[in-house]
Amino acid sequence: MTSARGTTVNIGTPDGVADAYLAHPAHGLPRPAVLIFSDAFGPRPHVRSMADRLAEAADRTVLVPNFLYRHGRAPVVALPDVIDHRTRGEVWKVLRPLLRSFTTAAALRDAGAYLDWLAECPQAAAGETALVGYCVGARLALLTAGTYPDRIAAAAGFHGGRLATEDADSPHLVASRITAPVYFGHADADPALPPEQIRRLDQALTAGGVRHRSEIYQGARHGFTQADTDAYDMEADDRHWEALLNLLRHS
């Protein structure tokens, strides 16, 4: 395992400039790229540490964009050191309308810009990009994998929400276009992704002939990988790292 270096970068999009965090191995050689879509709280110290860890453990170049850049640079919303039952309500009061204004069309324009930027990034090797998403980021990863299939090496989502709704722009509707292997690690009894949505997602992936694995992390709450929240579960997080690194090794 090698050490990682991180820096803040700016990415031009059709709608403006997105700030992002870029982590890459300290040896400086171009490495295959990974695009991380964070949870709703966005890039912050914990998420940057996850990017560093992935760059080190997988020897990859890792990009974490602030997908709410239209409302300012990260952190878009002031965050406490620990997001818990006492502080979450106030954070969501500000964050919820911003997320509602973030349309699927905007998300896909942005995703194309992030992939284009990585294609020109000196630290990123030529070739396909792997995707990883957490919470709402899992939704973005699934949409991106189905919209830009020829540019994606693998896709993973953890404790995702609203992945297979009855909405016209539900992410599972693009599943049949995915050509990369896919992994999902679902939180147990997650109100953001009830059992019927998990079944609908699995059925769409199976019908589309997508190589996929879908697992429920028993006893883990929505947000189980996020160590700066009260949903964090060390055992489930370790399992997530094992699954993610295994996916990347075989893609």
Side-chain angles (χ1 to χ4, degrees):
M1 190 166 69
T2 184
S3 60
R5 294 177 180 173
T7 186
T8 299
V9 298
N10 296 313
I11 301 173
T13 78
D15 298 335
V17 177
D19 54 302
Y21 180 73
L22 182 73
H24 58 90
H27 56 59
L29 299 174
R31 304 306 301 151
V34 179
L35 174 57
I36 291 182
F37 293 110
S38 72
D39 64 1
F41 302 122
R44 56 195 190 278
H46 164 65
V47 173
R48 291 194 289 272
S49 72
M50 293 180 72
D52 291 344
R53 178 174 176 178
L54 186 58
E56 293 171 0
D59 195 28
R60 300 284 181 120
T61 292
V62 183
L63 181 69
V64 190
N66 166 25
F67 61 79
L68 291 178
Y69 68 88
R70 292 170 180 82
H71 303 282
R73 298 178 70 85
V76 175
V77 176
L79 297 172
D81 292 337
V82 177
I83 303 166
D84 59 17
H85 68 281
R86 297 169 299 176
T87 59
R88 185 175 279 103
E90 288 302 312
V91 171
W92 272 105
K93 188 181 298 183
V94 180
L95 193 56
R96 188 174 288 110
L98 305 186
L99 290 169
R100 286 176 176 166
S101 70
F102 184 50
T103 66
T104 297
L108 293 177
R109 287 196 301 273
D110 292 346
Y114 303 148
L115 293 171
D116 288 344
W117 189 89
L118 282 168
E120 300 296 326
C121 176
Q123 292 89 356
E128 299 169 333
T129 296
L131 307 173
V132 187
Y134 299 91
C135 302
V136 65
R139 175 184 175 90
L140 300 178
L142 180 55
L143 285 166
T144 302
T147 303
Y148 303 96
D150 58 334
R151 306 182 68 176
I152 306 305
F158 297 92
H159 45 81
R162 298 184 57 77
L163 299 179
T165 69
E166 296 182 357
D167 296 338
D169 61 350
S170 177
H172 81 286
L173 297 176
V174 302
S176 63
R177 307 176 197 164
I178 297 174
T179 56
V182 173
Y183 176 90
F184 283 103
H186 304 299
D188 186 23
D190 188 347
L193 194 74
E196 60 269 22
Q197 286 199 38
I198 295 175
R199 287 193 295 271
R200 189 178 294 144
L201 174 61
D202 287 342
Q203 289 168 358
L205 292 168
T206 299
V210 180
R211 293 165 290 163
H212 70 281
R213 185 174 181 183
S214 177
E215 298 182 321
I216 296 175
Y217 289 29
Q218 296 292 339
R221 295 168 56 191
H222 182 85
F224 59 76
T225 63
Q226 305 301 300
D228 58 353
T229 78
D230 58 359
Y232 181 66
D233 184 315
M234 183 178 295
E235 182 177 349
D237 186 33
D238 287 344
R239 181 179 173 185
H240 133 264
W241 279 109
E242 181 179 0
L244 176 56
L245 293 174
N246 183 63
L247 178 70
L248 293 178
R249 277 193 298 268
H250 294 91
S251 62

